[in-house]
Short mmCIF file of all heavy atoms in Angstrom, two decimals:
data_model
loop_
_atom_site.label_atom_id
_atom_site.label_comp_id
_atom_site.label_asym_id
_atom_site.label_seq_id
_atom_site.Cartn_x
_atom_site.Cartn_y
_atom_site.Cartn_z
N ASN A 26 8.24 4.36 8.33
CA ASN A 26 8.31 5.78 8.00
C ASN A 26 7.90 6.01 6.57
O ASN A 26 8.39 5.32 5.67
CB ASN A 26 9.75 6.29 8.23
CG ASN A 26 9.89 7.77 7.95
OD1 ASN A 26 8.90 8.50 7.93
ND2 ASN A 26 11.13 8.22 7.74
N ALA A 31 15.51 10.24 -0.60
CA ALA A 31 16.82 10.58 -0.04
C ALA A 31 17.01 10.04 1.38
O ALA A 31 18.14 9.98 1.87
CB ALA A 31 17.00 12.10 -0.04
N LEU A 32 15.94 9.65 2.03
CA LEU A 32 15.96 9.07 3.39
C LEU A 32 16.67 9.96 4.42
O LEU A 32 17.26 9.47 5.39
CB LEU A 32 16.61 7.67 3.39
CG LEU A 32 15.99 6.61 2.47
CD1 LEU A 32 16.73 5.26 2.65
CD2 LEU A 32 14.51 6.41 2.74
N ARG A 33 16.60 11.27 4.24
CA ARG A 33 17.27 12.19 5.16
C ARG A 33 16.29 12.92 6.07
O ARG A 33 16.67 13.83 6.81
CB ARG A 33 18.02 13.28 4.39
CG ARG A 33 19.23 12.79 3.66
CD ARG A 33 19.71 13.92 2.72
NE ARG A 33 20.74 13.42 1.81
CZ ARG A 33 22.03 13.40 2.10
NH1 ARG A 33 22.47 13.88 3.25
NH2 ARG A 33 22.89 12.92 1.23
N GLY A 34 15.02 12.58 5.97
CA GLY A 34 14.02 13.28 6.77
C GLY A 34 13.28 14.28 5.91
O GLY A 34 13.67 14.59 4.78
N GLY A 35 12.15 14.76 6.44
CA GLY A 35 11.29 15.69 5.69
C GLY A 35 10.20 16.17 6.60
O GLY A 35 10.40 16.31 7.80
N ASP A 39 7.45 11.76 8.57
CA ASP A 39 8.90 11.63 8.42
C ASP A 39 9.62 12.56 9.39
O ASP A 39 10.55 12.15 10.13
CB ASP A 39 9.23 11.98 6.97
CG ASP A 39 10.63 11.61 6.52
OD1 ASP A 39 11.32 10.87 7.24
OD2 ASP A 39 11.04 12.07 5.44
N ILE A 42 9.25 11.34 13.02
CA ILE A 42 10.10 10.17 13.34
C ILE A 42 11.56 10.61 13.46
O ILE A 42 12.28 10.17 14.37
CB ILE A 42 9.90 9.07 12.29
CG1 ILE A 42 8.49 8.46 12.44
CG2 ILE A 42 10.97 7.98 12.41
CD1 ILE A 42 8.08 7.49 11.35
N HIS A 43 12.01 11.47 12.57
CA HIS A 43 13.41 11.92 12.66
C HIS A 43 13.65 12.73 13.93
O HIS A 43 14.72 12.59 14.56
CB HIS A 43 13.80 12.70 11.39
CG HIS A 43 14.22 11.81 10.28
ND1 HIS A 43 15.54 11.53 9.99
CD2 HIS A 43 13.50 11.10 9.39
CE1 HIS A 43 15.60 10.70 8.98
NE2 HIS A 43 14.39 10.41 8.57
N ARG A 44 12.70 13.54 14.35
CA ARG A 44 12.89 14.31 15.59
C ARG A 44 12.99 13.36 16.78
O ARG A 44 13.81 13.55 17.67
CB ARG A 44 11.73 15.28 15.80
CG ARG A 44 11.88 16.57 15.01
CD ARG A 44 10.89 17.63 15.44
NE ARG A 44 9.51 17.25 15.21
CZ ARG A 44 8.89 17.34 14.03
NH1 ARG A 44 9.53 17.81 12.97
NH2 ARG A 44 7.62 16.98 13.90
N ALA A 46 13.88 10.14 16.74
CA ALA A 46 15.00 9.17 16.65
C ALA A 46 16.36 9.86 16.74
O ALA A 46 17.37 9.19 17.00
CB ALA A 46 14.90 8.38 15.35
N GLY A 47 16.39 11.18 16.50
CA GLY A 47 17.64 11.91 16.60
C GLY A 47 18.43 11.94 15.29
O GLY A 47 18.08 11.25 14.32
N PRO A 48 19.50 12.71 15.26
CA PRO A 48 20.22 12.98 14.00
C PRO A 48 20.90 11.77 13.38
O PRO A 48 21.19 11.77 12.17
CB PRO A 48 21.26 14.04 14.40
CG PRO A 48 21.35 13.97 15.89
CD PRO A 48 20.02 13.50 16.39
N ARG A 49 21.13 10.74 14.16
CA ARG A 49 21.77 9.54 13.56
C ARG A 49 20.86 8.86 12.56
O ARG A 49 21.33 8.15 11.68
CB ARG A 49 22.18 8.56 14.67
CG ARG A 49 23.37 9.05 15.49
CD ARG A 49 23.68 8.09 16.62
NE ARG A 49 22.59 8.01 17.58
CZ ARG A 49 22.49 7.14 18.58
NH1 ARG A 49 23.45 6.21 18.72
NH2 ARG A 49 21.49 7.16 19.43
N LEU A 50 19.55 9.09 12.67
CA LEU A 50 18.63 8.46 11.72
C LEU A 50 18.87 8.99 10.30
O LEU A 50 18.87 8.21 9.34
CB LEU A 50 17.17 8.71 12.12
CG LEU A 50 16.15 7.87 11.36
CD1 LEU A 50 16.28 6.39 11.71
CD2 LEU A 50 14.73 8.33 11.64
N ALA A 51 19.09 10.27 10.16
CA ALA A 51 19.35 10.85 8.83
C ALA A 51 20.67 10.35 8.26
O ALA A 51 20.78 10.08 7.06
CB ALA A 51 19.33 12.38 8.91
N GLU A 52 21.65 10.22 9.14
CA GLU A 52 22.95 9.69 8.66
C GLU A 52 22.80 8.25 8.16
O GLU A 52 23.32 7.89 7.09
CB GLU A 52 23.96 9.64 9.81
CG GLU A 52 24.63 10.94 10.13
CD GLU A 52 25.48 10.80 11.38
OE1 GLU A 52 26.16 9.76 11.55
OE2 GLU A 52 25.46 11.74 12.19
N ALA A 53 22.10 7.44 8.93
CA ALA A 53 21.91 6.04 8.53
C ALA A 53 21.08 5.95 7.27
O ALA A 53 21.32 5.10 6.40
CB ALA A 53 21.25 5.27 9.68
N GLY A 54 20.07 6.82 7.17
CA GLY A 54 19.22 6.81 5.99
C GLY A 54 19.99 7.21 4.75
O GLY A 54 19.94 6.53 3.70
N ALA A 55 20.76 8.29 4.87
CA ALA A 55 21.51 8.78 3.70
C ALA A 55 22.46 7.71 3.18
O ALA A 55 22.67 7.59 1.96
CB ALA A 55 22.28 10.03 4.09
N ALA A 56 23.00 6.89 4.07
CA ALA A 56 23.94 5.85 3.65
C ALA A 56 23.23 4.74 2.84
O ALA A 56 23.90 4.01 2.10
CB ALA A 56 24.61 5.24 4.87
N LEU A 57 21.92 4.64 2.97
CA LEU A 57 21.16 3.61 2.26
C LEU A 57 20.45 4.16 1.02
O LEU A 57 19.86 3.40 0.25
CB LEU A 57 20.10 2.98 3.18
CG LEU A 57 20.61 2.27 4.43
CD1 LEU A 57 19.42 1.84 5.30
CD2 LEU A 57 21.43 1.05 4.04
N ALA A 58 20.47 5.48 0.85
CA ALA A 58 19.73 6.12 -0.23
C ALA A 58 20.44 5.90 -1.58
O ALA A 58 21.63 5.60 -1.59
CB ALA A 58 19.62 7.62 0.05
N THR A 68 16.60 0.88 9.16
CA THR A 68 17.71 1.41 9.98
C THR A 68 17.38 1.11 11.44
O THR A 68 16.25 0.77 11.79
CB THR A 68 17.84 2.94 9.86
OG1 THR A 68 16.68 3.57 10.41
CG2 THR A 68 18.01 3.39 8.40
N PRO A 69 18.38 1.27 12.32
CA PRO A 69 18.07 1.24 13.76
C PRO A 69 17.12 2.37 14.12
O PRO A 69 16.97 3.33 13.35
CB PRO A 69 19.44 1.44 14.42
CG PRO A 69 20.45 1.09 13.38
CD PRO A 69 19.82 1.47 12.07
N PHE A 71 17.56 4.22 16.88
CA PHE A 71 18.37 5.18 17.62
C PHE A 71 17.66 5.67 18.88
O PHE A 71 17.41 4.87 19.76
CB PHE A 71 18.81 6.33 16.68
CG PHE A 71 19.69 5.82 15.58
CD1 PHE A 71 19.21 5.73 14.25
CD2 PHE A 71 20.97 5.37 15.84
CE1 PHE A 71 20.02 5.23 13.23
CE2 PHE A 71 21.79 4.85 14.83
CZ PHE A 71 21.29 4.79 13.53
N HIS A 82 11.93 2.41 6.44
CA HIS A 82 11.63 3.58 5.63
C HIS A 82 11.11 3.11 4.28
O HIS A 82 11.77 2.31 3.60
CB HIS A 82 12.89 4.40 5.40
CG HIS A 82 13.62 4.76 6.66
ND1 HIS A 82 13.48 5.99 7.26
CD2 HIS A 82 14.47 4.03 7.45
CE1 HIS A 82 14.23 6.02 8.37
NE2 HIS A 82 14.85 4.83 8.50
#
Side-chain angles (χ1 to χ4, degrees):
N26 181 19
L32 303 182
R33 289 169 190 272
D39 193 12
I42 291 172
H43 276 263
R44 279 192 296 280
R49 288 176 296 171
L50 192 67
E52 279 174 41
L57 299 174
T68 66
F71 297 107
H82 307 261

